[in-house]
Amino acid sequence: MAVDETCPVSRTAEIVCGKWTLLLVRELADGTSRFCELERALAGISPRTLSLRLRALEEESIVERHTFPEVPPRVEYALTEKGRALLPIIREMRRFGRNWMIAEPAKRRRAASSL
């Protein structure tokens, strides 16, 4: 799908609509995390996919990587200011999901059982 570089919605969607991307940003919302912590929090993500997503988010200046000169090496990831600016979008998605996506199946089940 071609991205209209002049459309802010299209450009934003290109960055954040990758599988796992918003969940990864959500996991970093509370502060820094190590790779293994992110991997555990995002059950089902492969190490390769996590690595690729983190690298892509670094390239977009959404996530920053901090490497500590220790043995063994320690690496932590955190949201940048640009990354934190995505948090209101995630909060609204959570609200939408609770109001429309989670509540709707329960309403349908109740309606079906009353038939």
Side-chain angles (χ1 to χ4, degrees):
M1 180 161 115
V3 173
D4 179 355
E5 294 292 329
T6 63
C7 175
V9 173
S10 179
R11 180 69 178 108
T12 302
E14 178 189 31
I15 294 166
V16 301
C17 288
K19 187 171 182 182
W20 300 106
T21 300
L22 288 175
L23 297 176
L24 184 53
V25 171
R26 180 200 67 193
E27 288 304 317
L28 290 169
D30 292 331
T32 61
S33 289
R34 296 177 73 173
F35 188 92
C36 60
E37 293 169 335
L38 293 169
E39 193 176 14
R40 276 193 302 272
L42 300 170
I45 193 169
S46 72
R48 175 171 160 59
T49 300
L50 178 55
S51 180
L52 291 172
R53 286 284 110 223
L54 286 167
R55 192 171 310 128
L57 291 172
E58 282 182 79
E59 289 173 8
E60 292 293 339
S61 301
I62 291 171
V63 168
E64 56 190 3
R65 174 186 168 137
H66 301 282
T67 305
F68 298 89
E70 300 172 355
V71 177
R74 179 170 54 112
V75 178
E76 293 182 344
Y77 297 89
L79 293 177
T80 62
E81 181 180 353
K82 183 178 179 181
R84 287 187 300 277
L86 290 170
L87 297 178
I89 295 169
I90 293 172
R91 279 192 291 274
E92 285 301 311
M93 290 177 72
R94 182 180 295 121
R95 190 171 68 83
F96 179 88
R98 284 182 181 147
N99 292 339
W100 295 99
M101 307 308 288
I102 294 173
E104 287 298 311
K107 287 179 186 175
R108 279 185 285 227
R109 281 193 303 274
R110 283 194 301 271
S113 67
S114 66
L115 294 177

